[in-house]
Amino acid sequence: MKRIRPAERHWYHYLWLYSLFFFAAGFFNILFAWLGLVSFLLPLVFAFGFGTKGFCNRYCDRGQFLRMFGGQLGFSRGHEMPAWMKGKPFRYAFMVFFFAMFGNIIYTTWLIAHGAGSLSEVITILWSVQVPWQWAYAGGTEPWVASFAFQLYSFMLTSEIIAIATMLWFRPRSWCVYCPMGTLTQLVCKQKSSSKRDVLKGALEK
Ligand code: SF4
């Protein structure tokens, strides 16, 4: 990966700081985890609104984090990813799994909001290891608000761990090859550009 010299740096090259802020803030106050929704919405705004991967190319804090630590600071071993990790079956299956897990967060939050579940002040890493995190919540909100925050933080931390592990062994931004948001926005952009082509073709044939 090409290193960016100081003279070539733009403000968005520092967005990796936002990743650090997000995880540090959630460590002390779990309600900051709600900010994670920004990472879900912005790529979709770019894809649906502009039909581009502009968010991935410039404004994704995680993409910038992987570039900075893997490429710029040299933490990446730079191995080539196996072909199956780049292939559609794995990327699509991972995307479906990822969004199913996100759907489960919404469902659990809904259950708690309707009195059918209770708040658990833990972080779940890699969907299996539970870590107590009670210091990060001092009360003062509805249980479902805190529950969503705990679950979203777990979700973001899990995907960050996978992204960092991928960065350490493979090339810096290898996570982006199978990142579920990247796969989804790529599908949206493809769909948008093929609809545009159809409209243009239709206009030329008239
Ligand atoms: S592929 Fe995912 S992690 Fe990579 S830049 Fe896009 S949204 Fe960010």
Side-chain angles (χ1 to χ4, degrees):
M1 177 176 260
K2 181 177 162 266
R3 293 193 180 200
I4 299 170
R5 287 179 306 198
E8 296 169 333
R9 283 185 202 150
H10 296 278
W11 65 269
Y12 50 80
H13 288 129
Y14 297 92
L15 283 172
W16 57 273
L17 287 166
Y18 177 76
S19 281
L20 296 185
F21 165 76
F22 175 81
F23 288 109
F27 181 84
F28 293 107
N29 185 338
I30 199 64
L31 296 177
F32 277 103
W34 276 82
L35 287 174
L37 285 182
V38 174
S39 306
F40 276 83
L41 295 177
L42 274 184
L44 295 175
V45 167
F46 271 82
F48 281 106
F50 309 110
T52 71
K53 297 266 294 172
F55 180 79
C56 286
N57 296 339
R58 287 189 174 175
Y59 307 117
C60 174
D61 55 296
R62 181 173 294 173
Q64 292 296 349
F65 179 92
L66 298 173
R67 182 195 58 74
M68 167 57 82
F69 285 85
Q72 207 80 6
L73 299 178
F75 285 106
S76 168
R77 299 289 300 271
H79 293 293
E80 187 63 43
M81 291 175 88
W84 63 266
M85 276 181 103
K86 299 182 197 168
K88 280 185 186 170
F90 175 69
R91 288 170 45 230
Y92 290 169
F94 188 62
M95 179 181 73
V96 170
F97 170 75
F98 186 88
F99 285 110
M101 290 297 111
F102 186 65
N104 188 47
I105 292 178
I106 309 267
Y107 178 61
T108 310
T109 305
W110 182 84
L111 285 179
I112 292 175
H114 289 81
S118 59
L119 171 65
S120 135
E121 298 178 13
V122 295
I123 291 298
T124 308
I125 297 172
L126 297 172
W127 297 289
S128 52
V129 182
Q130 293 204 328
V131 181
W133 213 263
Q134 67 282 359
W135 64 82
Y137 180 58
T141 65
E142 292 287 331
W144 69 267
V145 174
S147 172
F148 183 76
F150 278 110
Q151 292 183 82
L152 190 60
Y153 191 83
S154 305
F155 195 61
M156 298 295 285
L157 187 59
T158 293
S159 59
E160 188 76 13
I161 290 170
I162 300 173
I164 291 174
T166 308
M167 173 270 279
L168 290 173
W169 186 250
F170 298 116
R171 291 190 181 154
R173 287 189 61 169
S174 293
W175 158 259
C176 294
V177 172
Y178 65 100
C179 163
M181 286 312 297
T183 308
L184 179 65
T185 51
Q186 192 177 35
L187 285 174
V188 173
C189 294
K190 263 191 195 160
Q191 182 58 38
K192 281 192 82 99
S193 74
S194 81
S195 327
K196 244 191 227 163
R197 263 201 312 275
D198 290 346
V199 169
L200 193 63
K201 206 171 149 198
L204 289 173
E205 282 168 0
K206 274 185 190 164

